[in-house]
């Protein structure tokens, strides 16, 4: 009988304990969604956990024991426990510190997977280094295989992380050599002087010493003024061909002691026609840089009477002509075509409004003059500034003052290109005495033609 009571008592106590366990034991839930794996030297953050007691959140009462050292590979136990009266709930989390980082392969010639090599260039297959976060230098552990033009580098670290890199070697040369002309692509040389080619430098991505292989096509006749194109051609060892062209301008010198009368801004009835009359009577040729103004007949007269008809732009409007390369040339060709249609003469001589040294153009485009002085030459025009300013647009309005200004600057030892404006009555009225002075003092008069060297001022914009 006693034994039955003892067994019954044990059973009752067990049942009471089990009931108490289910009713009074708190529960802890661990969020293991990150698999409890941490990278070597990574940051350990306690993963999430929750504790409940009778439906109430008692997470804040959970005690945590254990330390995770991410600087050492291994498995670390972290214990979460909560006590509630007689009952204590305990769960253990195992945090694994593993090396998850792949070794890194670097190449001394960059990271490109595709390598462009010259036809005869050798590829250094051993130009790599390997660094691993755990094993450190793994350079010696790399397996290199080469098949056709593909080199494969493979390496694995002590934790089984592996890296494979492929390099595709492309051995050809499709790049052209570069010919750089010494001096400029437009050069001037004087009539009957020896022309010496300023030379060139050839560079190439694969070949050296290509300078000797340059062929020059074209000839320069130094006994005849004109524009002579010379073409420089070179091929590299893979057959890539480059050509550049230099224009050689054979020109006459502007003569010291000669007076070049130049008239801008016209034509204009009432002034230009009188100026033409005077020039005819004096037997003198001059240069007119014309615009779109004035009657056609005056341009026809200028041309027929043997003067040079140059181009000054059609509108003479700074805001148009200096707003850009295209608008300059559009405007220039308007006046060019006017002259061409009236006279059949393809004028190639230019004077910039304000001269090439003007700074007003800065207002419309920074650097426009520097661009234009090159561009007009490329398009086979020549521009002519002046060496003597008559002052007729610089404050002088009296013909006597203009006369005095001009003759005071004349010199037998210098180039005398005189800036005047044939739209001014006082310039018209000063002309006769300027010519008279010139003649009496041993000067001769000539027109500017495209056979003459350009007269250029310093460019400030
Ligand atoms: Zn002008």
């Amino acid at each position: 009988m006693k034994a039955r009571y003892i067994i019954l008592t044990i059973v009752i106590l067990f049942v009471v304990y089990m009931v108490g366990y289910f009713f009074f034991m708190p529960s802890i839930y661990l969020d293991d969604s990150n698999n409890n794996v941490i990278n070597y030297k990574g940051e350990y953050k306690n993963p999430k956990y929750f504790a409940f007691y009778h439906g109430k959140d008692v997470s804040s009462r959970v005690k945590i024991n254990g330390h995770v050292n991410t600087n050492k590979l291994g498995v670390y136990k972290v214990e979460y426990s909560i006590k509630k009266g007689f009952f204590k709930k305990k769960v253990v989390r195992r945090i694994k510190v593993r090396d998850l980082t792949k070794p890194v392969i670097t190449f001394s010639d960059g990271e490109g997977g595709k390598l462009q090599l010259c036809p005869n260039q050798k590829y250094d297959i051993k130009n790599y280094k390997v660094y691993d976060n755990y094993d450190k230098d793994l350079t010696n552990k790399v397996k290199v295989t080469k098949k056709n033009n593909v080199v494969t580098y493979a390496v694995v670290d002590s934790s089984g992380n592996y890296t494979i890199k492929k390099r595709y070697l492309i051995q050809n040369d499709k790049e052209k050599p570069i010919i750089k002309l010494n001096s400029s692509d437009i050069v001037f040389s004087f009539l009957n002087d020896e022309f010496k080619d300023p030379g060139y430098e050839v560079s190439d991505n694969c070949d050296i010493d290509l300078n000797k292989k340059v062929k020059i096509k074209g000839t320069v006749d130094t006994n005849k003024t004109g524009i002579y194109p010379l073409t420089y051609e070179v091929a590299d060892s893979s057959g890539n061909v480059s050509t550049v062209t230099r224009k050689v301008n054979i020109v006459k010198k502007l003569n010291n002691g000669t007076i070049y009368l130049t008239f801008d801004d016209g034509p204009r009835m009432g002034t230009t026609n009188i100026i033409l009359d005077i020039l005819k009577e004096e037997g003198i040729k001059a240069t007119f840089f014309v615009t779109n103004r004035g009657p056609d007949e005056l341009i026809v007269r200028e041309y027929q009477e043997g003067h040079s008809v140059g181009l000054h732009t059609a509108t003479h409007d700074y805001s148009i002509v200096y707003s850009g390369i295209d608008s300059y040339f559009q405007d220039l060709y308007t006046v060019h075509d006017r002259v061409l249609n009236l006279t059949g003469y393809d004028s190639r001589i230019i004077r910039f409004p304000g001269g090439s040294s003007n700074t007003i153009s800065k207002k419309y485009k920074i650097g426009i003059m520097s661009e234009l002085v090159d561009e007009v030459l490329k398009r086979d025009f020549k521009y002519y500034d002046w060496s003597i300013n008559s002052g007729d647009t610089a404050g002088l309005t009296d013909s006597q003052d203009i006369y005095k200004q001009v003759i005071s600057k004349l010199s037998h030892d210098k180039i005398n290109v005189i800036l005047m404006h044939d739209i001014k009555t006082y310039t018209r009225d000063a002309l006769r005495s300027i010519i008279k002075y010139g003649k009496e003092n041993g000067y001769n008069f000539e027109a500017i033609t495209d056979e003459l060297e350009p007269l250029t001022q310093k460019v400030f914009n």
Side-chain angles (χ1 to χ4, degrees):
M1 278 301 276
K2 269 189 182 172
R4 280 179 64 188
Y5 281 115
I6 290 166
I7 289 165
L8 190 65
T9 307
I10 288 168
V11 167
I12 288 168
L13 281 175
F14 181 73
V15 168
V16 166
Y17 179 82
M18 287 311 288
V19 169
Y21 185 93
F22 282 113
F23 277 90
F24 301 108
M25 185 62 106
S27 45
I28 298 175
Y29 301 96
L30 299 179
D31 175 4
D32 291 333
S33 55
N34 68 349
N35 294 323
N36 296 329
V37 175
I38 300 208
N39 198 6
Y40 175 65
K41 288 200 170 166
E43 194 192 351
Y44 173 68
K45 279 187 197 155
N46 207 336
K48 281 183 192 161
Y49 59 87
F50 310 97
F52 294 99
Y53 180 71
H54 278 214
K56 266 169 68 184
D57 185 350
V58 290
S59 304
S60 58
R61 293 172 58 179
V62 171
K63 280 188 182 148
I64 304 168
N65 265 314
H67 173 67
V68 176
N69 181 4
T70 62
N71 292 327
K72 202 169 170 238
L73 302 186
V75 180
Y76 297 87
K77 281 187 194 171
V78 183
E79 191 182 283
Y80 299 77
S81 62
I82 186 164
K83 245 181 124 177
K84 194 74 195 168
F86 188 65
F87 297 100
K88 185 182 177 187
K89 179 72 180 178
K90 189 175 90 179
V91 293
V92 172
R93 181 158 24 209
R94 284 166 197 279
I95 302 289
K96 285 155 262 180
V97 175
R98 301 256 187 266
D99 172 22
L100 305 172
T101 307
K102 294 176 174 191
V104 178
I105 305 177
T106 52
F107 299 98
S108 61
D109 57 357
E111 285 312 290
K114 282 184 184 171
L115 274 193
Q116 186 69 48
L117 301 171
C118 286
N120 297 318
Q121 194 178 342
K122 233 179 129 6
Y123 173 65
D124 176 14
I125 211 162
K126 288 188 171 171
N127 63 356
Y128 58 86
K129 277 203 167 96
V130 181
Y131 178 81
D132 184 65
N133 65 323
Y134 188 79
D135 300 310
K136 310 300 174 196
D137 191 355
L138 286 180
T139 306
N140 294 331
K141 304 273 177 175
V142 177
K143 217 181 137 203
V144 185
T145 48
K146 187 170 186 290
K147 200 178 170 196
N148 298 324
N149 62 334
V150 185
V151 187
T152 307
Y153 299 84
V155 66
V156 59
D157 71 9
S158 57
S159 295
N161 303 300
Y162 64 91
T163 297
I164 295 174
K165 273 200 175 177
K166 282 182 193 290
R167 307 200 93 189
Y168 299 87
L169 312 181
I170 302 158
Q171 283 200 290
N172 60 23
D173 176 19
K174 288 180 177 172
E175 248 178 77
K176 289 179 180 182
I178 297 162
I179 307 173
K180 200 176 165 292
L181 295 177
N182 296 340
S183 180
S184 166
D185 53 358
I186 294 169
V187 293
F188 290 87
S189 185
F190 289 121
L191 187 66
N192 301 325
D193 278 5
E194 188 199 349
F195 169 68
K196 212 168 167 279
D197 195 304
Y200 41 78
E201 290 298 328
V202 184
S203 56
D204 187 67
N205 59 324
C206 291
D207 294 286
I208 53 163
D209 256 2
L210 286 180
N211 257 31
K212 295 167 196 160
K213 302 207 168 165
V214 172
K215 286 175 197 152
I216 305 176
K217 291 175 187 168
T219 49
V220 178
D221 184 355
T222 57
N223 299 317
K224 197 165 174 274
T225 60
I227 303 172
Y228 300 92
L230 293 179
T231 303
Y232 303 75
E233 188 180 293
V234 70
D236 67 14
S237 56
S238 295
N240 301 301
V241 179
S242 272
T243 57
V244 294
T245 301
R246 169 156 31 217
K247 284 179 179 170
V248 181
N249 287 259
I250 299 297
V251 290
K252 290 181 190 166
K253 273 185 181 158
L254 288 158
N255 291 322
N256 285 350
T258 293
I259 295 175
Y260 301 90
L261 297 172
T262 69
F263 299 95
D264 292 6
D265 295 6
R268 177 173 172 253
M269 193 54 87
T271 47
T272 309
N273 54 320
I274 308 292
I275 287 169
L276 285 167
D277 291 344
I278 296 169
L279 293 171
K280 196 185 223 172
E281 285 162 28
E282 297 287 349
I284 279 170
K285 304 296 178 222
T287 307
F288 293 87
F289 291 101
V290 300
T291 66
N292 247 17
R293 297 166 186 156
D296 290 346
E297 63 188 86
L298 290 176
I299 290 181
V300 174
R301 250 194 89 183
E302 287 167 1
Y303 180 73
Q304 284 179 348
E305 292 176 12
H307 304 293
S308 275
V309 183
L311 312 171
H312 195 38
T313 69
T315 62
H316 204 285
D317 183 339
Y318 286 59
S319 71
I320 294 171
V321 300
Y322 293 143
S323 65
I325 293 277
D326 288 346
S327 67
Y328 173 82
F329 279 100
Q330 198 180 347
D331 190 283
L332 182 75
Y333 274 107
T334 305
V335 70
H336 170 271
D337 293 351
R338 183 189 189 198
V339 173
L340 184 68
N341 292 335
L342 289 172
T343 65
Y345 172 60
D346 174 16
S347 180
R348 310 309 297 182
I349 64 175
I350 284 176
R351 175 166 289 154
F352 291 110
S356 64
S357 62
N358 84 80
T359 50
I360 306 167
S361 53
K362 276 187 190 170
K363 239 171 89 179
Y364 306 105
K365 194 168 187 246
I366 299 287
I368 184 70
M369 297 317 300
S370 306
E371 289 180 55
L372 282 177
V373 293
D374 283 343
E375 196 57 37
V376 294
L377 293 174
K378 279 184 189 158
R379 301 194 194 200
D380 295 344
F381 290 100
K382 293 189 187 80
Y383 68 96
Y384 298 83
D385 289 313
W386 56 88
S387 57
I388 296 174
N389 189 339
S390 70
D392 64 353
T393 53
L396 299 185
T397 55
D398 181 87
S399 59
Q400 197 58 27
D401 293 341
I402 291 164
Y403 164 74
K404 281 184 200 156
Q405 166 80 4
V406 170
I407 65 158
S408 72
K409 297 275 170 66
L410 289 174
S411 167
H412 284 282
D413 308 318
K414 287 181 187 163
I415 291 163
N416 304 290
V417 176
I418 304 170
L419 169 69
M420 294 187 285
H421 296 82
D422 55 320
I423 56 169
K424 306 287 187 188
T425 51
Y426 31 86
T427 304
R428 171 197 69 194
D429 298 341
L431 183 60
R432 185 80 76 174
S433 35
I434 291 170
I435 293 171
K436 190 165 179 279
Y437 177 91
K439 283 183 171 176
E440 284 171 3
N441 287 277
Y443 291 93
N444 64 316
F445 293 81
E446 273 180 33
I448 288 173
T449 70
D450 58 10
E451 288 189 310
L452 281 174
E453 63 174 308
L455 179 73
T456 59
Q457 295 170 350
K458 194 169 187 278
V459 172
F460 293 103
N461 177 28

